[in-house]
Amino acid sequence: MARAVSCFLLAVLLSASCKVIISSDPMCIEKEANKTYNCENLGLSKIPDTLPNKTEILEFSFNFLPTIQNTTFSRLINLTFLDLTRCQINWIHEDTFQSHRQLNTLVFTGNPLIFIAETAFNGPVALKHLFLIQTGITSLEFIPGHNLRDLESLYLGSNHISSIQLPKSFPTQSLQVLDFQNNAIHYLSKEDVTCLKPATNLSLNFNGNDIKDIEPEAFISTVFRSVNFGGMADLSVIFKGLQKSAIQSLWLGSFEDTNASDLSPAVLQGLCEMSVESINLQKHRFSDLTSATFKCFKRIRELDLTATHLTSLPSGIEGMESLKKLVLNVNHFEHLCQINAANFPSLTHLYIKGNVRRLLLRDGCLEKLGKLQQLDLSHNDLEAPDCCSVALRGLSHLQSLNLSYSEPLSLQSQAFDNCPRLELLDLAFTRLPMRAQQSPFQNLHHLQVLNLSHCFLDTSNQYLLTGLPSLRHLNLQGNQFHDGTLPRSNLLQMVDSLEVLVLSSCGLHFIDQHAFQNLRKMRHMDLSHNNLMYGSIEALGHLKGLYLNLASNNIHTVPSHLIPILSQQRIINLSHNPLECSCSNIYFLTWYKENLQKLEGSEETICATPASLRGVKLSAVKLYCGITAMGIFFLAVFSLLLTILLFFAVKFLLRWKYQHI
Amino acid sequence: MKGFTATLLVCMLLGGSPGGAWPTHLACRSGGLEVFYQSCDPLQDFGLSIDECSRELKPNLSIRFGLILREDIRQLFLDVTLVSKGVSVLNFSYPICEEDFPKFSFCGRRKGEQIYFAGPVNNPAFDILQGEYEILLELYNENHSTVACANATVLCS
């Protein structure tokens, strides 16, 4: 027995010494000096002494604080944000945050709380956000409410709460978010919801609660900003309970792993009895879909039918004349006309992305949508033989068009002439075969942003970008240039209003000195992931104040005459280049150290040569490129020899001269 | 010396060896198929089991998994890399939770929450050819912070 005890003692002693060894040097990461610190996953059992008193934002999750009390954080009186996620907190004692007047956000997610003292949250002038997710709460009485007058959001997800009734004394007038995700709420009574009456503009989340019944007209009292009943099996219960309510945004979607009953016209009848502006019905299935299905959608402005197994929408839907936004992502349409766009003449936003089968862009399917401003047809393997003039007929108000991730689209000249007000056009990852000398974007006078990344463009076509007087942002990432060269006359000469240009991953070896001469408004230039050497920097000589990204290129050295070009820019990234750290590059190395404040990615800006300095950060390199002691010695010996030689030569010369007199 | 060794041993047991690997678990073994996995997240292990293993993999398999979230998962993506005989055969990326399309009921849960999921995963049916495969699975959020990481080995006989 004694032996067992001594063994146990030894083990305790040994483990104690281990703890010391393990936690000998925990280092918090400084994200912003004297302000933001990250001490996550360090196994700390107290606030480290190394943290400055002025710390405002402290990420302290995944540490070990079984008890917190008024001494725990007392030194850090300027705290505004404190994250104590999974710190194994059991007890929050009296006056824990007494001295923290500025405290705004407290996160206790995932702590096995046993008790919160009545005065635990006293101190902060205005505590706004409180996270008590998965803390084992069974009743709302557990939360001491009297210093929570300014509380704006209260997160109570993943607990064992069965009633949302807040204690009478709990202040709700400032509440904007009340989150009850994944609890055990089965019933909502009128009285429960009446408690929330002082809160105007409230967002309520009941996602993942199995609600079996709601007292009729329970939600009659207040206007809600949003209510979420996600994952509910039977929507008729919800519609019945929401009679005479006014909700701006109602989320009733289902999930892959939850059961959903079919939406019949009878179920949707409930919508006639309430006022909703925006509704989401993702992943439900409509039974006998006819124009009558939507007869109670008259007041709805935004409708989201993502992944609702639709193959078409019925024609002749009445009462959707005022729908503004329609989301039909991840459905099963064969061609665009099957959405029967004529049903929605007021539509300003239409999203049909990620269609499950290949979508055909037939002519004029959207021509009744004269008010449409935003159209997203991305990720559809979209196919269109001659794009896009006829297909986009009638869309004269369109401002934003997304055709990215389509099958090859062969663009005609003036392909978008039916959408003259276009401001943003995204064609990323869509191959664009076109005839030489063609100008598909001509006459887009308002186009500001054009994304042509990975479009396999014919970059030798100098007329590709003609007719774009307002273009500010151009992305040409991943397009190849002939011979890896951007010549003096190139496609960028047509777009002199450019401010942002992306030419990364274009296989560029060389940029002509005058290639960018027309671009005088540039602010942001991304040339990363090419094979550029220092010579190409000359092309930037006329530009000042740039954000310049030259990361992952082939720059070894930068000669002294090019350094002023770098000096005149705002921020430069030279990381991942095979930089030389020898005396032949000393001007650049000196400049680098003097301008560290404008260099981005300096952690990854490292030497490649000589071998002795490989992998060393440029900022840490110290070179002495004056004459060394050995050099001085040899120089002295050399000059001595030279003097002796000269002496003898003169002596010989004089002797020879005198002999011949 | 003995004391030193003992201390080291106790330390290893208590603190976990830094850089040491998590144990290899069996996700399923039946119908000629064995799936082993090991967490490659240095911070934590996780639990996974697959309900019905077989060479002719059925569609919509049910799985169970449990882990602690170290990041919010409003957005969650899965990267899969399949390697056979040292050659990369297949690479793909799949969104699980997106802002405009949360596919699963656990989407939107927060850092620090413990998750237990038992349900279907919406996979297609396919037959697995005989052999040994290495699969790297990575779950990450919109900031590319790791949510879970697994090195799996599939043995099909």
Side-chain angles (χ1 to χ4, degrees), chain B residues 82-151:
Chain B
L82 176 65
V83 178
S84 170
K85 293 172 190 146
V87 183
S88 173
V89 183
L90 178 72
N91 262 313
F92 74 91
S93 188
Y94 179 79
I96 295 173
C97 304
E98 290 170 287
E99 211 78 75
D100 61 352
F101 187 26
K103 289 195 183 80
F104 289 88
S105 59
F106 54 75
C107 292
R109 294 181 73 176
R110 303 267 182 170
K111 179 178 98 173
E113 279 196 70
Q114 173 196 324
I115 280 198
Y116 172 72
F117 172 83
V121 289
N122 193 23
N123 63 297
F126 59 91
D127 292 350
I128 302 168
L129 296 176
Q130 203 170 19
E132 187 179 329
Y133 306 92
E134 299 290 320
I135 306 177
L136 176 66
L137 299 145
E138 275 179 282
L139 286 171
Y140 55 91
N141 72 358
E142 67 272 27
N143 306 322
H144 234 283
S145 308
T146 302
V147 172
C149 172
N151 273 317

Side-chain angles (χ1 to χ4, degrees), chain A residues 547-560:
Chain A
Y547 165 85
L548 175 61
N549 192 346
L550 285 166
S552 300
N553 273 290
N554 198 17
I555 299 171
H556 298 263
T557 56
V558 182
S560 57

Side-chain angles (χ1 to χ4, degrees), chain A residues 55-60 68 73 76 78-85 97 100-109 121 124-133 148 150-155, chain B residues 72 110-111:
Chain A
T55 305
E56 290 173 34
I57 297 171
L58 181 58
E59 289 160 2
F60 206 74
I68 57 173
F73 309 103
L76 310 177
N78 290 337
L79 280 179
T80 60
F81 175 96
L82 181 59
D83 183 351
L84 297 169
T85 297
F97 302 104
H100 303 86
R101 315 238 340 132
Q102 317 295 328
L103 201 60
N104 177 297
T105 306
L106 263 174
V107 186
F108 289 111
T109 304
F121 299 138
V125 177
L127 188 63
K128 292 209 163 105
H129 312 285
L130 184 57
F131 292 76
L132 290 166
I133 300 166
L148 301 175
D150 297 281
L151 204 65
E152 286 175 10
S153 40
L154 180 57
Y155 294 87
Chain B
D72 289 357
R110 303 267 182 170
K111 179 178 98 173

Side-chain angles (χ1 to χ4, degrees), chain A residues 11 14-15 17-18 21-22 40-41 61-62 83 85-86 109-110 131 133-134 155 157-158 179 181-182 207 251 254-258 282-283 304 306-307 329-330 353, chain B residues 3 6-8 10-12 14-15 43-44 60 68-71 94 98 100-115 117-122:
Chain A
L14 285 172
S15 63
S17 65
C18 287
I21 295 165
I22 292 159
E40 290 180 358
N41 303 307
S61 46
F62 301 96
D83 183 351
T85 297
R86 275 213 180 253
T109 304
F131 292 76
I133 300 166
Q134 211 169 63
Y155 294 87
S158 303
D179 191 327
Q181 271 193 69
N182 309 305
N207 193 3
W251 209 92
S254 175
F255 303 104
E256 202 88 53
D257 54 312
T258 53
Q282 77 157 36
K283 275 202 156 288
D304 191 326
T306 298
N329 302 341
V330 203
K353 70 172 182 183
Chain B
T7 314
L8 205 70
V10 176
C11 282
M12 302 255 287
L14 280 171
L43 291 172
Q44 65 176 14
N60 237 359
I68 289 170
L69 289 177
R70 291 193 172 252
E71 302 291 337
Y94 179 79
E98 290 170 287
D100 61 352
F101 187 26
K103 289 195 183 80
F104 289 88
S105 59
F106 54 75
C107 292
R109 294 181 73 176
R110 303 267 182 170
K111 179 178 98 173
E113 279 196 70
Q114 173 196 324
I115 280 198
F117 172 83
V121 289
N122 193 23

Side-chain angles (χ1 to χ4, degrees), chain A residues 444-602:
Chain A
L444 292 178
H445 294 287
H446 302 281
L447 196 72
Q448 298 186 16
V449 181
L450 178 58
N451 188 347
L452 294 172
S453 58
H454 302 275
C455 287
F456 292 86
L457 293 174
D458 172 17
T459 49
S460 60
N461 175 5
Q462 291 187 35
Y463 302 95
L464 183 74
L465 301 172
T466 40
L468 295 170
S470 314
L471 194 68
R472 291 193 290 132
H473 186 132
L474 175 64
N475 191 338
L476 290 171
Q477 181 177 3
N479 289 290
Q480 300 302 307
F481 284 81
H482 182 63
D483 287 340
T485 305
L486 187 63
R488 182 185 184 131
S489 51
N490 57 57
L491 74 176
L492 298 172
Q493 274 161 349
M494 300 294 179
V495 278
D496 50 13
S497 54
L498 268 197
E499 292 173 24
V500 179
L501 175 62
V502 182
L503 281 169
S504 59
S505 308
C506 288
L508 286 170
H509 287 90
F510 181 69
I511 298 173
D512 185 89
Q513 193 181 341
H514 302 289
F516 298 136
Q517 63 184 358
N518 282 9
L519 309 177
R520 303 204 166 267
K521 295 181 179 168
M522 289 300 288
R523 294 185 284 115
H524 181 116
M525 172 98 72
D526 186 350
L527 297 168
S528 61
H529 297 275
N530 284 300
N531 285 307
L532 299 172
M533 315 242 281
Y534 68 77
S536 303
I537 295 174
E538 271 185 274
L540 308 168
H542 63 295
L543 296 169
K544 289 191 176 71
L546 278 186
Y547 165 85
L548 175 61
N549 192 346
L550 285 166
S552 300
N553 273 290
N554 198 17
I555 299 171
H556 298 263
T557 56
V558 182
S560 57
H561 72 280
L562 293 179
I563 284 173
I565 299 180
L566 295 184
S567 286
Q568 69 202 20
Q569 313 306 348
R570 188 167 47 91
I571 291 172
I572 303 166
N573 191 332
L574 285 160
S575 60
H576 302 283
N577 274 292
L579 293 164
E580 182 161 334
C581 295
S582 68
C583 285
S584 64
N585 203 15
I586 188 69
Y587 291 109
F588 169 69
L589 293 172
T590 315
W591 171 83
Y592 185 91
K593 283 191 184 178
E594 286 167 358
N595 291 277
L596 275 178
Q597 78 286 354
K598 60 165 70 171
L599 287 152
E600 189 189 68
S602 54

